[in-house]
Amino acid sequence: MRFRAWPRVTAFEDTSRKRAALTRSQRLQRETLPLLADLIAETQPGVDGEMARRAEHWPGCSRRRA
């Protein structure tokens, strides 16, 4: 049986596609419960803040996989 080598760990890449996916996900969460949309919007982090959190979290997460 042959195993594939795990790809090398790279730094977190902040791309426009990831930002668009986050924005779309947050919009869909608000649209799911329209009566609570304002409340949900208050708890959702900003795009820049979430990308910064993911960048900090990425090295530890990728180290655990390897």
Side-chain angles (χ1 to χ4, degrees), residues 6-21:
W6 189 261
R8 290 194 178 268
V9 177
T10 59
F12 178 77
E13 297 177 27
D14 185 359
T15 63
S16 61
R17 290 183 70 172
K18 288 180 183 178
R19 288 177 173 267

Side-chain angles (χ1 to χ4, degrees), residues 4-51:
R4 281 191 189 172
W6 189 261
R8 290 194 178 268
V9 177
T10 59
F12 178 77
E13 297 177 27
D14 185 359
T15 63
S16 61
R17 290 183 70 172
K18 288 180 183 178
R19 288 177 173 267
L22 176 64
T23 305
R24 185 173 48 255
S25 171
Q26 289 179 342
R27 179 180 50 82
L28 290 173
Q29 288 173 357
R30 289 189 304 267
E31 289 176 355
T32 301
L33 300 169
L35 296 177
L36 301 174
D38 295 334
L39 237 148
I40 294 170
E42 289 175 8
T43 62
Q44 291 175 331
V47 176
D48 292 330
E50 179 62 18
M51 289 297 148

Side-chain angles (χ1 to χ4, degrees), residues 12 50-59:
F12 178 77
E50 179 62 18
M51 289 297 148
R53 187 196 67 78
R54 290 180 184 184
E56 288 176 12
H57 181 68
W58 181 253

